[in-house]
Amino acid sequence: MQITLKFFASIRETMGMSGQAYETHAQTLGQLRDELVQAGGPAAQALGRERVLRMALNQTLCQEDAALSPGAEVAFFPPVTGG
């Protein structure tokens, strides 16, 4: 399914972009995170399991078991962001 990824703060800096369209087979946020990490490169560093981060699905903070749907917007950001 096609989704949109958004990256904020230090995650955006590590990824080198603020977002992208992405094709995934993941069914949940946690599966998506693992899929991105397994792809390697900057995503492995920015989203690795050793990092604490927050995730939002369609602009609502969610846990890793939140179900993805086609066209969803997924945002990744550090636990504390400044204004």
Side-chain angles (χ1 to χ4, degrees):
M1 81 181 88
Q2 183 81 23
I3 62 172
T4 300
L5 302 176
K6 302 268 185 175
F7 308 111
F8 293 93
S10 61
I11 296 171
R12 178 184 62 229
E13 292 170 16
T14 302
M15 293 295 292
M17 67 179 104
S18 61
Q20 70 180 84
Y22 186 76
E23 183 73 26
T24 185
H25 296 288
Q27 298 298 306
T28 66
L29 285 178
Q31 290 174 1
L32 174 64
R33 182 179 182 180
D34 291 338
E35 181 179 289
L36 291 165
V37 168
Q38 289 174 3
Q45 180 183 0
L47 305 174
R49 288 293 176 175
E50 70 283 355
R51 295 205 44 168
V52 176
L53 57 83
R54 305 289 305 262
M55 294 178 283
L57 178 60
N58 298 322
Q59 300 182 4
T60 301
L61 290 176
C62 293
Q63 299 297 318
E64 291 198 3
D65 61 352
L68 295 174
S69 59
E73 178 187 275
V74 177
F76 295 96
F77 50 95
V80 178
T81 60

